[in-house]
Every structure is written in structure tokens, then in C-alpha cells.
Amino acid sequence: MRAPLARTSFAVLPTAARPVETIAGECRSWRFRPHFHAGDEVVDIHAGRARLRLPQSQLEVAAGDTVVVPAGTVHRFEPIDGSGWAFTSRFVPPATCKTPTERPFGARVKAMLIERATLHTDMEALARACAVSVGHLGRIFRRETGTGLHNFHVLLALHRAKALLRDQAGIAEAALDAGFYDQAHLNREFVRTFGMTPAAFRAGWSVAA
């Protein structure tokens, strides 16, 4: 039998300026997919050690550390050893007025991915539109963004789904509108990326409202 999917806890905290999303995970070997957030992620490590992988570098963090991942930066936390790690993440407006500068090639491909109605990435069509080979497209996109084309495409769809869920759209509706095959597909990708279900995320915003 497949082991239960690991889930974080999620809450939306009211503040004078705007609600703040928070994600907390108890001590375990968390390993998230490469992803990014719309706001700056302020991560407090409560126990254990973890490795933060960034597009051009990596950083080891341990209990007592606080690290800020700028908005729009593709990153990934992973365990250093079998002891696991515990954390709390808060998502706040970017410290600067803009997210990390996008290079022209990556920005162009991102714009084409945003326009796609489904999660069929179709690298050959994207490569033709950019007048490069599929291999060159994949290499330069990963170098500029820190992740592969299809993974980035899924992340864009997840952010579309999150926006709909914040507004209390139905989960099945959000899944289809964002380009996922069905609700189960959105559920799998959401848990893999954020450690929680779309239902937990929607419920957090429902309470905040």
C-alpha cells in the first residue's frame, strides 16, 4: 500500500496590511519540488538541518536559522540527513518592487507557457517559435530559471489554481481552469509542491475571509 502523502499545516494570519499565508512542517525528511512563490518566503528552521538549492548556489540551514527566499526565485529545500527538519514559512510582499530580473529568452518562453490552456508543454512547438533546437531550448531555459520547462509550466498552473482557490472556487473547477487533467491531478501536484492539499489551502483562505 502506498504511504500517505506528507502534508504541512496551512493558515492565513490577519495583519493590518494584508493576510499572511503560513506553512508549517513538523520534523521529517521534507523534500519539495523546485518551485517559486509570488511573495518573499521567510523560513524559520525549528529543528534539524536542510539544504536550500537556488539556481546558482546552495545553502545549508539548521535549527535557529532564518532564511529569506526572494519572490519569483526557483528553489528547493531538501534534507541533509535522515533526522529530518522542521520549519515555518511566512509569505510576505516582496522587499523590492519587482521580482528577480528575467532574461529575455526565459521571459519569452514563460509568456508562451502562460498562454497554453493545458499542461501539454509541447517543447517542439516552443523550440520552433524560438528558432532553436529542443535541446538548446531546454538547456538555456534551465540555466536562466533554475528548473526544467515542464516543471515550470506546472508551477504556473499551480499559481493559477491558487488564485482561484483563494477566491473560493471549487477544487474541480480550479483544476480544469488552471489546465490540470482533473481534480486528482491538481491534488497530486499541489501536495508534491506545497506539502498540503488544495482543500487545505482553500479552507485556510475560507477561514480568513
Side-chain angles (χ1 to χ4, degrees):
M1 179 181 295
R2 172 181 270 180
L5 291 171
R7 294 176 184 173
T8 58
S9 61
F10 176 76
V12 181
L13 305 179
T15 67
R18 61 187 293 275
V20 174
E21 295 181 4
T22 65
I23 298 177
E26 297 180 354
C27 196
R28 62 185 305 157
S29 295
W30 298 102
R31 185 183 295 273
F32 298 100
R33 81 188 306 157
H35 63 285
F36 64 87
H37 298 286
D40 289 350
E41 181 180 12
V42 183
V43 187
D44 295 316
I45 307 299
H46 303 303
R49 299 187 300 151
R51 180 178 292 108
L52 169 59
R53 292 194 181 274
L54 300 164
Q56 305 299 329
S57 63
Q58 64 181 31
L59 174 70
E60 291 191 4
V61 293
D65 289 344
T66 296
V67 61
V68 178
V69 182
T73 301
V74 174
H75 64 287
R76 173 181 187 164
F77 282 97
E78 59 188 26
I80 291 178
D81 53 45
S83 299
W85 53 292
F87 71 96
T88 301
S89 288
R90 291 172 288 119
F91 301 93
V92 300
T96 58
C97 296
K98 58 183 180 180
T99 55
T101 302
E102 293 181 324
R103 298 180 184 178
F105 187 89
R108 180 183 178 189
V109 175
K110 178 180 176 180
M112 289 189 286
L113 290 175
I114 290 174
E115 293 176 354
R116 301 193 68 82
T118 72
L119 281 172
H120 176 52
T121 303
D122 196 352
M123 289 185 64
E124 292 186 356
L126 292 172
R128 286 196 300 272
C130 294
V132 297
S133 68
V134 170
H136 183 73
L137 172 69
R139 287 191 298 273
I140 194 169
F141 188 83
R142 182 178 291 276
R143 185 167 64 245
E144 291 191 4
T145 66
T147 190
L149 261 166
H150 184 66
N151 186 65
F152 196 89
H153 193 181
V154 172
L155 296 178
L156 292 175
L158 284 169
H159 281 275
R160 287 199 297 271
K162 287 177 76 174
L164 293 165
L165 294 169
R166 286 190 189 99
D167 290 336
Q168 298 303 295
I171 298 173
E173 174 191 350
L176 295 177
D177 286 354
F180 293 93
Y181 304 126
D182 52 26
Q183 181 173 331
H185 185 203
L186 171 61
N187 190 78
R188 288 193 302 273
E189 299 293 355
F190 212 94
V191 173
R192 180 184 172 197
T193 306
F194 307 115
M196 77 183 94
T197 63
F201 180 83
R202 184 177 184 273
W205 276 97
S206 175
V207 172

